[in-house]
Amino acid sequence: MDVNDLLMLLFLVGASFAIALSALAFFARLGRSHDRKHSLFAEAPDSEVAFLFDDEKLLDATPQAKRILSMGSRSSTDWAQFVSVFLPRFPDLKSNISSLAKLGEMSFDSADGSAVLNAKWRKGLARLSLVDQKSTDIPARIDQHSLAAMEHELTSLRGAVEHTPYPVWRETSDGTITWANAAFLDLADQVDPGSEGTWPPRKIFETDTLRGVTEGRRRSVIADGASNKKWYNCGCAKLGDEYLFHAVSVDAAVKAEVELQEFRQTLSRTFAQIPIGLAVFDRNQRLAIFNPAFLDLTKLPFSLLSNRPTFGEFLDQLRNSNAIPEPKDYAAWREKIAALVRSESAKTYKEDWHLPSGQVLRVKGRPYTDGSVTFFVEDVSTSIASAREFHTQLQVGQAVANSMDQAIAVVSAEGKIAIANSAYDKMWGIANTRTKDMSVLGATKIWHSRCAPSPIWGEFRDFASQRGDRTEWSADTRLWDGRRMSCQFVPLPGGSTMVKFKIQKNHPSYLGQRLEITERPALDA
C-alpha cells in the first residue's frame, strides 16, 4: 500500500467518526426537546418554583419545586404534601385557598414578608408559584465542605426527629399544626383512622392549657379509635411565633398508680374491719394512714387526724384527751418515745397504758429503716381483767387446797404438777416452789423413792397421759416406815388428773407394827 492509499483510509475513518458524533448530538438534542415538550414548565427558568394541581393531584412542577415538595411530611395526597411544606410560611393558605376557583387569582404573603405565593385558576387547574420579595445575601460561592457538613447535620437531625419514638409537633398560636414527626402522625392515625394522610393532621392533644407551661410537664389523656385511654406527659417550648410540643407515654406509670390506688383502697377496707387500731406515720413523721378502730380507741377527733399531725402533735393531743397514762415527767417520756421512733433499729416499742378511766391500751410501735413507723393500739382491758380474775381463782383454789388435811396434787394435761397443797408438800418433804411445774415423771420418782416397790406409779403415768374417757381408780402401797397409804386417781376435765394420798391410821402397821423391807428403790427408778 502506497502513501496515497494510506491517507485516503485515514480520511475515510475520520469522516465516519465526525458523522457519528454529529448523529449522537442530534439525537440527544432531539430527546431533550421531546422531554421539554411534555413539561408544562419547559420554558421556566431553573430557579422558578411553580406547581400545577388538578384538585389534590400534582400534574407538573419545576425541578426546584419538586425538591422543595420532597421535604414535606408524610401525606396521602400531593396537595396535603404541599400544604405541609408551605403552611408554616403561609398560615392563611389552607383556610382561603378554597376561594381560588371563584376569585380566579389570589396572593398569599409569607408570615415574615419575604415571599409571596401566587395562585391562578385556569380551566379547572390551579397554578401556584413562589416569588421572593427580598433579595437574599447568599454568597455566590459557598465552601463545599461547609455545605456538605450542613447538609449532613440537617439529614442527621431529620432522621433523629423522624425516628424519635414519642410524638413531637409544632403549632401556631391558633392551634394549627405546621409540622409533626412520624410518631405523632402514627398516633393521629390511631386516634382517627378516617383522617389518615390529611394535612394538617387532627389535633389530638388539648394544647391550649400547655402553652403556658414552659417548664415541667402536664399530664394529658386521649382516646384512640377503640376508645382506649392513652396517657401522656406533655411539654411545651416557644419557638418564635410557634410552639414546639412533645408527649411521652406514661401508660405504664398510670397503670401502676391505678393499681397502687386500688391496693390502698383494699388495704383501707381491710384495715376498717380490724378491731385493733392502726396508724402509719411516714418518713416525715406525719400521720399517713389510720383506721376507724384507731379513731375509736384514741378518742381523738377525726378533723385532727385528717390534718395529718406530726408524731409529737399526736402525743400531745393524746395527753390532752387523757388517752395516755400521766407520767411523772411527760417531756422525758415524750422524748423517749420520739427517740425510739426516730431510730432505725429493729427495736419495737411496747407498753400497756393504764388510763384513768380504767381502760388498758396495749400500744406497739414498729420503726422502719426509711423513717416511717407503724403504731398498733389494742384494748386489752377485758383480757387483763380476765387474767386477773383467773389469777384470783387460782389463788382461791390454792387456798382451798391448802386448807385440806389430805395431801392432793393435780397433774395438767401437759404432764406437769399444776396444783399441790401444803399437806402434799409436808408428806413428801418438798418445798412448794419446787413442786410447781414439776413433771409427772419427776413427781413419781419422788413418790417411788419413799415407798415400797410397786407398779402403781408407772400405771399412773400411763393414766395421766391418756386422752378421752377415763375411770377413777385407787390402789394401796406402803411407805418405808411401814405405814399403809391409799392413793386415789381421779380424772378431771381438760385432761387433768388429781391424785389423793391418805395414810391409813387405823391399820395395824400405823400402830407400831413395822413392815420388813429388805431393799429401798433408787430415786431414778
Short mmCIF file of all heavy atoms in Angstrom, two decimals, residues 40 51-60 79 97-98 100-105 119-128:
data_model
loop_
_atom_site.label_atom_id
_atom_site.label_comp_id
_atom_site.label_asym_id
_atom_site.label_seq_id
_atom_site.Cartn_x
_atom_site.Cartn_y
_atom_site.Cartn_z
N LEU A 40 -44.97 21.22 31.22
CA LEU A 40 -45.70 22.48 31.11
C LEU A 40 -44.84 23.66 31.51
O LEU A 40 -45.20 24.81 31.25
CB LEU A 40 -46.96 22.43 31.97
CG LEU A 40 -47.97 21.33 31.58
CD1 LEU A 40 -49.14 21.33 32.54
CD2 LEU A 40 -48.46 21.53 30.15
N PHE A 51 -46.03 25.14 40.70
CA PHE A 51 -46.74 23.87 40.79
C PHE A 51 -48.02 23.98 39.98
O PHE A 51 -48.63 25.05 39.88
CB PHE A 51 -47.10 23.54 42.24
CG PHE A 51 -45.95 23.56 43.19
CD1 PHE A 51 -45.52 24.76 43.77
CD2 PHE A 51 -45.28 22.39 43.51
CE1 PHE A 51 -44.47 24.78 44.66
CE2 PHE A 51 -44.23 22.41 44.41
CZ PHE A 51 -43.81 23.60 44.98
N LEU A 52 -48.48 22.85 39.45
CA LEU A 52 -49.74 22.79 38.73
C LEU A 52 -50.55 21.62 39.30
O LEU A 52 -50.11 20.48 39.26
CB LEU A 52 -49.50 22.59 37.23
CG LEU A 52 -50.77 22.66 36.37
CD1 LEU A 52 -51.37 24.07 36.41
CD2 LEU A 52 -50.46 22.26 34.92
N PHE A 53 -51.74 21.95 39.86
CA PHE A 53 -52.57 20.95 40.54
C PHE A 53 -53.88 20.79 39.81
O PHE A 53 -54.49 21.76 39.32
CB PHE A 53 -52.86 21.38 41.98
CG PHE A 53 -51.74 21.11 42.94
CD1 PHE A 53 -50.79 22.09 43.22
CD2 PHE A 53 -51.62 19.88 43.56
CE1 PHE A 53 -49.77 21.86 44.10
CE2 PHE A 53 -50.59 19.64 44.45
CZ PHE A 53 -49.66 20.62 44.72
N ASP A 54 -54.33 19.56 39.75
CA ASP A 54 -55.68 19.23 39.33
C ASP A 54 -56.36 18.65 40.57
O ASP A 54 -56.16 17.48 40.93
CB ASP A 54 -55.67 18.22 38.19
CG ASP A 54 -57.08 17.85 37.73
OD1 ASP A 54 -58.05 18.46 38.24
OD2 ASP A 54 -57.21 16.97 36.87
N ASP A 55 -57.14 19.51 41.26
CA ASP A 55 -57.69 19.17 42.57
C ASP A 55 -56.52 18.88 43.53
O ASP A 55 -55.70 19.76 43.75
CB ASP A 55 -58.66 18.00 42.46
CG ASP A 55 -59.51 17.85 43.71
OD1 ASP A 55 -59.56 18.81 44.51
OD2 ASP A 55 -60.14 16.80 43.89
N GLU A 56 -56.37 17.66 44.06
CA GLU A 56 -55.29 17.36 45.01
C GLU A 56 -54.15 16.59 44.35
O GLU A 56 -53.23 16.14 45.04
CB GLU A 56 -55.83 16.55 46.19
CG GLU A 56 -56.82 17.33 47.05
CD GLU A 56 -57.13 16.62 48.36
OE1 GLU A 56 -56.56 15.53 48.58
OE2 GLU A 56 -57.90 17.15 49.15
N LYS A 57 -54.19 16.46 43.03
CA LYS A 57 -53.15 15.72 42.31
C LYS A 57 -52.21 16.71 41.62
O LYS A 57 -52.64 17.65 40.97
CB LYS A 57 -53.77 14.79 41.27
CG LYS A 57 -52.74 13.96 40.52
CD LYS A 57 -53.42 13.03 39.53
CE LYS A 57 -52.39 12.20 38.78
NZ LYS A 57 -53.03 11.30 37.79
N LEU A 58 -50.91 16.48 41.82
CA LEU A 58 -49.90 17.31 41.19
C LEU A 58 -49.68 16.84 39.76
O LEU A 58 -49.26 15.71 39.52
CB LEU A 58 -48.58 17.24 41.99
CG LEU A 58 -47.43 18.08 41.45
CD1 LEU A 58 -47.74 19.57 41.56
CD2 LEU A 58 -46.13 17.74 42.19
N LEU A 59 -49.96 17.76 38.79
CA LEU A 59 -49.75 17.41 37.39
C LEU A 59 -48.32 17.67 36.95
O LEU A 59 -47.73 16.89 36.20
CB LEU A 59 -50.71 18.20 36.50
CG LEU A 59 -52.20 17.91 36.69
CD1 LEU A 59 -53.02 18.77 35.73
CD2 LEU A 59 -52.49 16.44 36.49
N ASP A 60 -47.75 18.78 37.41
CA ASP A 60 -46.39 19.12 36.99
C ASP A 60 -45.81 20.12 37.98
O ASP A 60 -46.55 20.79 38.72
CB ASP A 60 -46.38 19.70 35.58
CG ASP A 60 -44.99 19.59 34.92
OD1 ASP A 60 -44.08 19.06 35.59
OD2 ASP A 60 -44.84 20.04 33.78
N TRP A 79 -51.52 17.31 47.36
CA TRP A 79 -51.90 18.60 47.94
C TRP A 79 -51.59 18.66 49.43
O TRP A 79 -51.12 19.67 49.95
CB TRP A 79 -53.38 18.85 47.69
CG TRP A 79 -53.87 20.11 48.34
CD1 TRP A 79 -54.69 20.23 49.41
CD2 TRP A 79 -53.52 21.45 47.97
NE1 TRP A 79 -54.90 21.54 49.73
CE2 TRP A 79 -54.18 22.33 48.85
CE3 TRP A 79 -52.70 21.98 46.96
CZ2 TRP A 79 -54.06 23.70 48.76
CZ3 TRP A 79 -52.59 23.37 46.87
CH2 TRP A 79 -53.26 24.22 47.77
N ILE A 97 -57.60 29.09 50.41
CA ILE A 97 -57.35 28.59 49.06
C ILE A 97 -58.61 28.05 48.40
O ILE A 97 -58.71 27.96 47.17
CB ILE A 97 -56.25 27.50 49.09
CG1 ILE A 97 -55.74 27.22 47.68
CG2 ILE A 97 -56.79 26.25 49.75
CD1 ILE A 97 -55.04 28.37 47.04
N SER A 98 -59.61 27.71 49.22
CA SER A 98 -60.85 27.16 48.65
C SER A 98 -61.60 28.19 47.80
O SER A 98 -62.47 27.81 47.01
CB SER A 98 -61.76 26.65 49.78
OG SER A 98 -62.05 27.71 50.69
N LEU A 100 -60.20 30.05 45.47
CA LEU A 100 -59.44 30.33 44.26
C LEU A 100 -60.30 30.16 43.00
O LEU A 100 -60.25 30.99 42.08
CB LEU A 100 -58.22 29.41 44.20
CG LEU A 100 -57.35 29.56 42.94
CD1 LEU A 100 -56.79 30.98 42.84
CD2 LEU A 100 -56.21 28.53 42.97
N ALA A 101 -61.10 29.11 42.93
CA ALA A 101 -61.92 28.87 41.73
C ALA A 101 -62.90 30.01 41.50
O ALA A 101 -63.22 30.36 40.35
CB ALA A 101 -62.66 27.54 41.86
N LYS A 102 -63.37 30.60 42.57
CA LYS A 102 -64.34 31.69 42.45
C LYS A 102 -63.67 33.01 42.09
O LYS A 102 -64.18 33.77 41.25
CB LYS A 102 -65.10 31.82 43.76
CG LYS A 102 -66.14 32.92 43.76
CD LYS A 102 -66.86 32.96 45.11
CE LYS A 102 -67.90 34.07 45.13
NZ LYS A 102 -68.60 34.14 46.45
N LEU A 103 -62.52 33.26 42.73
CA LEU A 103 -61.85 34.55 42.50
C LEU A 103 -60.97 34.53 41.26
O LEU A 103 -60.70 35.58 40.67
CB LEU A 103 -61.00 34.90 43.73
CG LEU A 103 -61.79 35.07 45.04
CD1 LEU A 103 -60.84 35.37 46.19
CD2 LEU A 103 -62.83 36.19 44.92
N GLY A 104 -60.43 33.39 40.92
CA GLY A 104 -59.57 33.30 39.74
C GLY A 104 -58.11 33.51 40.05
O GLY A 104 -57.25 32.77 39.55
N GLU A 105 -57.77 34.49 40.85
CA GLU A 105 -56.39 34.75 41.24
C GLU A 105 -56.34 35.13 42.72
O GLU A 105 -57.24 35.82 43.22
CB GLU A 105 -55.77 35.87 40.39
CG GLU A 105 -55.59 35.53 38.92
CD GLU A 105 -54.85 36.63 38.17
OE1 GLU A 105 -54.40 37.59 38.84
OE2 GLU A 105 -54.71 36.51 36.95
N ALA A 119 -51.42 32.37 43.23
CA ALA A 119 -52.27 31.25 42.80
C ALA A 119 -53.20 31.73 41.69
O ALA A 119 -53.82 32.79 41.80
CB ALA A 119 -53.07 30.71 43.97
N LYS A 120 -53.31 30.94 40.62
CA LYS A 120 -54.17 31.27 39.50
C LYS A 120 -55.00 30.04 39.14
O LYS A 120 -54.51 28.91 39.20
CB LYS A 120 -53.34 31.70 38.29
CG LYS A 120 -52.57 33.00 38.50
CD LYS A 120 -51.79 33.39 37.24
CE LYS A 120 -51.02 34.70 37.45
NZ LYS A 120 -50.28 35.10 36.21
N TRP A 121 -56.26 30.32 38.73
CA TRP A 121 -57.17 29.25 38.35
C TRP A 121 -57.43 29.34 36.84
O TRP A 121 -57.93 30.34 36.33
CB TRP A 121 -58.49 29.40 39.11
CG TRP A 121 -59.48 28.32 38.84
CD1 TRP A 121 -60.52 28.38 37.99
CD2 TRP A 121 -59.52 27.03 39.41
NE1 TRP A 121 -61.22 27.22 37.98
CE2 TRP A 121 -60.62 26.34 38.87
CE3 TRP A 121 -58.71 26.37 40.34
CZ2 TRP A 121 -60.95 25.05 39.22
CZ3 TRP A 121 -59.04 25.08 40.70
CH2 TRP A 121 -60.15 24.42 40.13
N ARG A 122 -57.03 28.31 36.10
CA ARG A 122 -57.19 28.29 34.65
C ARG A 122 -57.72 26.93 34.20
O ARG A 122 -57.06 25.90 34.40
CB ARG A 122 -55.84 28.56 33.94
CG ARG A 122 -55.27 29.95 34.19
CD ARG A 122 -56.14 31.03 33.53
NE ARG A 122 -55.53 32.35 33.68
CZ ARG A 122 -55.74 33.16 34.71
NH1 ARG A 122 -56.58 32.77 35.67
NH2 ARG A 122 -55.17 34.35 34.77
N LYS A 123 -58.93 26.96 33.64
CA LYS A 123 -59.54 25.76 33.05
C LYS A 123 -59.55 24.57 34.02
O LYS A 123 -59.18 23.45 33.68
CB LYS A 123 -58.80 25.37 31.77
CG LYS A 123 -58.90 26.43 30.67
CD LYS A 123 -58.17 25.99 29.43
CE LYS A 123 -58.25 27.04 28.33
NZ LYS A 123 -57.54 26.63 27.07
N GLY A 124 -59.90 24.85 35.29
CA GLY A 124 -60.02 23.77 36.28
C GLY A 124 -58.71 23.35 36.90
O GLY A 124 -58.67 22.39 37.68
N LEU A 125 -57.63 24.03 36.56
CA LEU A 125 -56.32 23.71 37.12
C LEU A 125 -55.83 24.88 37.96
O LEU A 125 -56.13 26.05 37.66
CB LEU A 125 -55.31 23.40 36.03
CG LEU A 125 -55.66 22.25 35.08
CD1 LEU A 125 -54.58 22.09 34.01
CD2 LEU A 125 -55.85 20.95 35.84
N ALA A 126 -55.08 24.57 39.00
CA ALA A 126 -54.53 25.60 39.88
C ALA A 126 -53.02 25.66 39.69
O ALA A 126 -52.32 24.65 39.82
CB ALA A 126 -54.86 25.30 41.34
N ARG A 127 -52.55 26.88 39.36
CA ARG A 127 -51.10 27.10 39.21
C ARG A 127 -50.64 27.98 40.36
O ARG A 127 -51.16 29.07 40.57
CB ARG A 127 -50.79 27.77 37.88
CG ARG A 127 -49.30 27.89 37.58
CD ARG A 127 -49.07 28.62 36.28
NE ARG A 127 -47.70 28.56 35.83
CZ ARG A 127 -46.71 29.35 36.29
NH1 ARG A 127 -46.97 30.27 37.22
NH2 ARG A 127 -45.48 29.21 35.81
N LEU A 128 -49.67 27.48 41.11
CA LEU A 128 -49.13 28.21 42.24
C LEU A 128 -47.64 28.42 42.03
O LEU A 128 -46.91 27.47 41.68
CB LEU A 128 -49.36 27.44 43.55
CG LEU A 128 -50.84 27.24 43.92
CD1 LEU A 128 -51.25 25.81 43.56
CD2 LEU A 128 -51.07 27.49 45.40
#
